[in-house]
Every structure is written in structure tokens, then in C-alpha cells.
Amino acid sequence: MSRIEPAPEVGEDFEHILDPLTSHKVAHAADRRLGIIEAIGVLASNPLIGAQPSTTSAST
């Protein structure tokens, strides 16, 4: 299984995403936070999701 190592600024990004869920009293905020965590888990299991295709090709 791949391991995700978030960049230091990710914590700030999470604050920008999660704080409004609390401050605006969004319905089902806990479920939405859990969904974000689960999506990160999907990326850990499938690291090529969102990867840019290689622009170089191997010649055989």
C-alpha cells in the first residue's frame, strides 16, 4: 500500500475546508469530514488517480 505524506501546508488547507463546516453549522458536518478522510484513503490505495500521464515513452 502506498503511503501519503502531506506537505506542511496541507494542515492549513484542511482548516480552510473544515472550519466552514463548523462555523456555518453545515448539516452532517461529521459525515463530510469523514468523506474527506475516506477520499484520502482512496488516494493512498490508488496513487495513480489524478497523476499526469508520462510525457516520455520508453522505446523497445
Side-chain angles (χ1 to χ4, degrees):
M1 177 183 238
S2 297
R3 182 173 166 222
I4 293 179
E5 293 187 36
E9 60 271 14
V10 168
E12 189 174 310
D13 292 341
F14 276 135
E15 287 179 26
H16 287 283
I17 294 168
L18 301 177
D19 284 349
L21 293 177
T22 303
S23 64
H24 296 290
K25 298 182 181 172
V26 173
H28 309 288
D31 291 336
R32 292 178 186 217
R33 284 190 290 271
L34 182 60
I36 292 168
I37 293 167
E38 288 173 347
I40 292 169
V42 169
L43 291 174
S45 299
N46 301 281
L48 296 180
I49 292 176
Q52 296 296 318
S54 176
T55 57
T56 59
S57 59
S59 299
T60 54

